[in-house]
Amino acid sequence: MSLDRVPERAPVTGAVASDREMCVFSTILGSAADAEFHEEIHRLEHDHAVDHLRLAKTDLSRRRLRAVTEAGREIAIALPRHEHLFDGAVLEFGAGSALVVRVEAERWLRLRPTDAPRALKLGYFCGNLHWRVQFDGEDILVAVETEEKTYLDRLGPTLEAGEALLIAEPHAAHPHPQPAGHPKA
Amino acid sequence: MNRPLSASDLSRPGPARIGIGGPVGSGKTALIEALMPLFRKRGIEVAVVTNDLVTKEDARRLQASGLIDPERVLAVEAGACPHTVIREDPTLNIAAAEDLETRYPELDLIIIESGGDNLASTFSLDLVDWWMFVIDVGQGDDIPRKRGPGILQSDLLVLNKLDLAPHVFVDGPATLAEAEAVRAGRPVIGTVCKGPAQQGLDAVADRIERDLLFRDVPA
């Protein structure tokens, strides 16, 4: 699609359509929380006119990907290196519709070491496996980035030896979610 | 207001960057060598960054191959810890990729080959957009079952040297099936990179062309 062929009321978009009409988004317009988008996107949501691209948190670091939106639209993203996807990123806006990135809730395993030396050991163990972790009081939370079984298999001996307890909320989101990485957020 | 780019102009975000990781001797460089003619035939402009521990061996091999302009191959010496420069601190590789992007604005694709490592190596997505992990049948049929992060988390797992499977007492199709099972639906491709009966290479090139360059290649 060349500029000359953009319809008069074209939506604001960072995308181009390929020969087969797949849109390639090459910039992020802003955050759905920004004043310039917030009210209108809220209104469009009531009209069921907001399409969402659901991404895992681990995919937010990607600059290029091909994906299918909730509405079943196949799209691609090719961002410059300095741009980052984030929860609420607006890819398309206007003409009665919008496309917004939403990040799926992360799963975390909550582990509670039974004493300080075992906590040190568990921390070393998680670091040695390059697991992404957060701390919450006396607990260590491990992000489940692949199959949960993979983590539980690795933790098996630790749990069986009573060195740590697995707190029963394996599918809960982290209680203190990190803010989106967008500078305007 | 954002201005739509022309349909053929995806140059503003720069070329796609892909990573190739895997254990020593699994065939990472051989895979690149085998893909080069396919990329050329498809009109894909490529440059390569190689990582070796303390030498430039892989870079020299590619530069001497006749498959690519030697100037389009840069070497990064990874030191004793090859996964550090592709994951924890990929600064050297990012700088090399940016150097190539500046020198060759026509590039579609930059391949970053990791130094040979173990099954735990993964790529930072700050460095690459997508990465594949190469294992081979010579390492034994239990490699997929070992479920290292490279095997589980890569965007594409390549099981290489399938032609050698009978000679090392490995059931190639069974190992492929097991790899597919542990990856729970993520793609796995079996390859033969050398010799007259190359295998699986078009499938690898198709996936790169479709998923990274967004060309109309069937899934």
Side-chain angles (χ1 to χ4, degrees), chain A residues 142-164:
Chain A
V142 177
V144 179
E145 296 183 330
T146 59
E147 285 182 291
E148 194 169 287
K149 178 179 183 305
T150 301
Y151 295 82
L152 294 177
D153 285 349
R154 291 289 193 136
L155 287 164
T158 303
L159 298 173
E160 286 163 17
E163 296 180 357

Side-chain angles (χ1 to χ4, degrees), chain A residues 81-145:
Chain A
R81 298 284 157 200
H82 65 273
E83 286 198 45
H84 294 263
L85 290 166
F86 56 91
D87 187 46
V90 180
L91 297 177
E92 191 171 59
F93 177 76
S97 66
L99 176 60
V100 178
V101 173
R102 287 298 175 209
V103 179
E104 292 174 345
E106 283 198 288
R107 290 180 300 135
W108 297 82
L109 294 176
R110 178 181 288 270
L111 301 164
R112 186 166 298 161
T114 46
D115 59 30
R118 288 165 172 164
L120 281 171
K121 189 176 171 185
L122 180 61
Y124 173 85
F125 180 82
C126 294
N128 196 37
L129 290 170
H130 299 280
W131 287 351
R132 189 158 55 87
V133 301
Q134 292 194 12
F135 300 98
D136 185 23
E138 295 182 348
D139 297 344
I140 183 168
L141 290 94
V142 177
V144 179
E145 296 183 330

Side-chain angles (χ1 to χ4, degrees), chain A residues 47-67:
Chain A
D47 293 341
H48 305 287
V50 178
D51 193 4
H52 293 110
L53 176 62
R54 301 261 172 208
L55 293 177
K57 186 174 172 65
T58 49
D59 283 330
L60 291 182
S61 301
R62 294 183 191 273
R63 307 304 199 284
R64 274 184 185 251
L65 70 150
R66 193 162 172 155

